[in-house]
Amino acid sequence: MNLISAVVLSVLVNLGSGAQNLTFPPWFLFGVSSAAFQVEGGWNASDKGESIWDRLLHTHPDVIVDGTNGDVACDSYHLWRRDIEMCEELGVNVYRFSISWPRLLPSGFPNYISEDGKNYYNNLIDGLLEKGIQPLVTMYHWDLPQSLQDLGGWANPLIVDWFADYARVLYTLFSDRVKYWLTLNEPMVICDAGYGLMGAPFLDDTNIGLYLCNKHVLMVHAKAYRIYDEEFRHLHHGMVSLSNVALWFEPETPADTEATKLMMQFYEGRYAHAIYSKLGGWPPELEKLLTENGKREGYPYPRLPPFTPEEIEYVKGTYDFYALNHYTSKQVRKVDPDKAGSWPYYGSKEIGADMVNGPAWERALSATWFAIYPEGIYKQLLWMKNNYGVNNIMITENGLPSFEPTLYDLKRANHIRNILEQVHRAMTEGVHVLGYTVWSMMDNFEWTSGHKLKYGLYAVNFTDVHRTRTARESARFYASVTRTRTIPLHETMDFE
Ligand code: BGC
């Protein structure tokens, strides 16, 4: 990165002028994120097992907008040295990546640990640490071993033990060096997308399977957390959490206030209340609503499988920090449940509300469904602190999508700047934010959007066998932020 861009220059000039730049404390962790299935490729390298995403994409390429798959992706399986180099160029303190369960445990069970899988992650972890970069490891970012799906996957309560075995292998192999762990990435997507025809295993079961999954993800997380707590914490003193994705919701009009609260509980509380609230268990108003909806449809069971009092205690408090993935915000509009459904998720039908973009909110680069509303993250952070009393938060994903591959992505740089400004604002108002990681370090396999949708600070040439990575303007900007720990004044960012 020898080229000083206009954006970087603006940071430096601004610093020189002594204007009031916003500075982050020395302990604040700047990072970037990725996920195994989206970057690694090497889908059948060595003895790797098949994952549910491998299976879906090989049997139903039609579910992906451009018909591509993750067989090679960014080829990080071979290019991990370059990935570390990019982290260095970006000057980040942490690199968030995930471990592919079927790469490490090809059968899904710990009867056999792949040497190649183990070496791959050891190399990555050691390589990062040599450069002073902390690994932030997600144990599960959606690539379940197909063997476990064949046994019922997330709808089978035995997944709690299967995952516990996997987690124990991970802690045993890596927790001497990995201090930040995330058990699951976005349980909302694991269940709502996986059982709502939006991601692997691509099932259509939003009445029973989805809600079984809801309970099991929470039990899985809690058990993996408790294993660390009881067997590894005293040795390695790390931190464990799970990443929840949270859209910020606000009412379109005052009449939509109640529906908005339910929407928050549906999309966030369903995966957070049991862990972070003082009460534990399901969010009460949501549980009531979903039970009534299920009853009306003639189901003999409540939609959300009840927790026993012991289970409530078991799940409650299983976090060392709150890991937040935040991308965008929506306004909530109450409507007749039969007419609801402007959003691809079925949740609006349960609640009887649609999600719309705020009229004044800007749209992302060509991805018009994505509203740009930086204040949303500020409000979200305060909501988490006020609602759950959690005051140790790490932003584990945030970024801006684009269908355009341009290297001159000033809008993305500007967005990162504006989000960081809002994070800083929340911090000055007493929210303790540990760090911020950008999604994503580089363009990658963006699930059902294939290679079309891009989030990368680095562009990846997917037609080149070498999968060349090239820094975008946003990468240069972010590198200047991580190095100065400062964001420039808005007026100095000449972007549009
Ligand atoms: C996921 C990523 C994904 C990103 C952008 C997040 O919900 O964790 O895997 O690529 O959103 O869609």
Side-chain angles (χ1 to χ4, degrees):
M1 269 221 230
N2 46 13
L3 193 141
I4 296 196
S5 69
V7 182
V8 177
L9 205 59
S10 83
V11 179
L12 299 175
V13 167
N14 211 12
L15 278 173
S17 74
Q20 325 80 318
N21 296 287
L22 299 176
T23 299
F24 286 81
W27 46 260
F28 187 85
L29 300 169
F30 285 105
V32 279
S33 303
S34 74
F37 189 79
Q38 294 179 271
V39 301
E40 283 179 6
W43 83 275
N44 62 355
S46 182
D47 45 7
K48 178 180 169 291
E50 187 189 23
S51 76
I52 54 174
W53 273 92
D54 294 323
R55 175 68 64 90
L56 175 68
L57 303 183
H58 294 153
T59 52
H60 284 287
D62 48 299
V63 304
I64 308 303
V65 288
D66 56 1
T68 57
N69 59 41
D71 289 2
V72 183
C74 304
D75 200 19
S76 287
Y77 183 65
H78 297 106
L79 300 176
W80 54 271
R81 288 183 188 80
R82 172 69 182 124
D83 294 352
I84 296 172
E85 194 178 270
M86 284 148 65
C87 288
E88 253 193 299
E89 289 171 357
L90 289 166
V92 292
N93 313 107
V94 290
Y95 177 41
R96 175 179 177 226
F97 61 91
S98 78
I99 291 189
S100 156
W101 186 344
R103 188 180 300 290
L104 195 67
L105 303 182
S107 71
F109 297 102
N111 59 308
Y112 167 75
I113 300 175
S114 160
E115 259 323 286
D116 283 307
K118 200 164 82 182
N119 289 340
Y120 175 69
Y121 295 113
N122 270 331
N123 285 335
L124 183 56
I125 291 167
D126 292 343
L128 287 166
L129 289 171
E130 266 167 37
K131 302 292 178 192
I133 299 161
Q134 289 294 321
L136 164 57
V137 175
T138 314
M139 299 179 183
Y140 181 79
H141 201 123
W142 311 346
D143 45 356
L144 189 73
Q146 180 62 41
S147 54
L148 302 184
Q149 184 58 44
D150 294 342
L151 297 173
W154 289 99
N156 185 338
L158 289 176
I159 189 120
V160 180
D161 294 331
W162 303 336
F163 194 93
D165 293 339
Y166 168 55
R168 196 175 271 110
V169 170
L170 295 181
Y171 293 144
T172 306
L173 292 177
F174 308 123
S175 68
D176 56 337
R177 287 153 294 150
V178 173
K179 302 298 172 198
Y180 300 104
W181 291 97
L182 298 168
T183 55
L184 304 176
N185 180 64
E186 300 182 359
M188 201 271 272
V189 177
I190 299 172
C191 302
D192 294 39
Y195 289 81
L197 291 175
M198 278 174 291
F202 221 75
L203 301 172
D204 185 5
D205 187 359
T206 54
N207 287 326
I208 298 286
L210 185 150
Y211 293 106
L212 290 174
C213 174
N214 278 187
K215 180 167 176 192
H216 299 156
V217 286
L218 291 164
M219 296 303 293
V220 155
H221 162 75
K223 186 153 184 179
Y225 177 90
R226 293 197 180 279
I227 290 174
Y228 188 84
D229 216 28
E230 285 153 25
E231 301 171 31
F232 297 88
R233 187 185 296 282
H234 69 284
L235 297 171
H236 304 305
H237 313 288
M239 305 217 282
V240 183
S241 188
L242 85 168
S243 281
N244 268 328
V245 60
L247 288 143
W248 171 249
F249 293 113
E250 43 190 54
E252 189 181 39
T253 68
D256 303 307
T257 305
E258 283 315 304
T260 305
K261 284 187 191 154
L262 279 170
M263 202 66 103
M264 276 310 254
Q265 294 303 345
F266 191 82
Y267 284 107
E268 302 178 30
R270 203 158 30 112
Y271 299 102
H273 192 272
I275 300 171
Y276 299 103
S277 73
K278 303 271 174 289
L279 201 64
W282 302 117
E285 318 77 36
L286 183 72
E287 189 175 18
K288 183 164 166 274
L289 173 82
L290 294 179
T291 301
E292 282 162 9
N293 289 355
K295 218 182 253 168
R296 209 174 22 248
E297 289 168 17
Y299 285 98
Y301 315 105
R303 288 240 212 279
L304 291 167
F307 286 107
T308 64
E310 294 73 30
E311 287 172 339
I312 289 179
E313 289 310 309
Y314 188 74
V315 177
K316 201 162 68 176
T318 52
Y319 66 92
D320 298 318
F321 60 100
Y322 193 125
L324 167 73
N325 292 358
H326 172 86
Y327 284 92
T328 187
S329 301
K330 292 283 161 194
Q331 289 191 346
V332 176
R333 178 188 296 162
K334 198 171 164 17
V335 292
D336 179 339
D338 293 335
K339 300 206 177 102
S342 62
W343 183 256
Y345 297 149
Y346 56 88
S348 47
K349 286 215 179 302
E350 298 278 12
I351 290 163
D354 274 341
M355 300 179 214
V356 296
N357 288 323
W361 298 348
E362 206 188 324
R363 302 293 183 274
L365 305 149
S366 66
T368 48
W369 47 269
F370 187 109
I372 299 180
Y373 182 53
E375 255 192 291
I377 198 164
Y378 160 79
K379 293 179 176 173
Q380 177 70 41
L381 289 168
L382 260 72
W383 185 87
M384 283 154 57
K385 184 176 175 214
N386 297 336
N387 252 273
Y388 297 129
V390 175
N391 201 13
N392 202 15
I393 301 170
M394 169 123 61
I395 296 152
T396 42
E397 277 185 38
N398 174 258
L400 191 71
S402 169
F403 288 112
E404 292 146 16
T406 177
L407 292 178
Y408 205 58
D409 60 340
L410 297 182
K411 201 158 180 170
R412 181 172 289 114
N414 197 26
H415 183 64
I416 293 171
R417 184 237 163 254
N418 292 342
I419 288 282
L420 281 171
E421 178 179 46
Q422 295 297 329
V423 172
H424 193 277
R425 181 177 166 206
M427 289 169 76
T428 56
E429 291 178 26
V431 183
H432 184 68
V433 184
L434 278 173
Y436 168 85
T437 67
V438 174
W439 185 272
S440 179
M441 179 156 77
M442 60 185 148
D443 295 343
N444 52 49
F445 181 77
E446 186 43 51
W447 309 111
T448 50
S449 300
H451 287 108
K452 280 225 143 137
L453 198 58
K454 297 171 189 309
Y455 279 85
L457 295 177
Y458 282 73
V460 177
N461 183 348
F462 291 103
T463 56
D464 171 6
V465 283
H466 303 299
R467 295 294 192 270
T468 318
R469 290 105 153 96
T470 309
R472 291 201 166 100
E473 197 66 18
S474 56
R476 298 172 206 283
F477 171 71
Y478 194 51
S480 71
V481 170
T482 64
R483 297 224 153 79
T484 58
R485 310 193 73 72
T486 297
I487 54 168
L489 294 175
H490 193 261
E491 303 76 82
T492 62
M493 308 262 299
D494 179 19
F495 276 135
E496 301 309 321

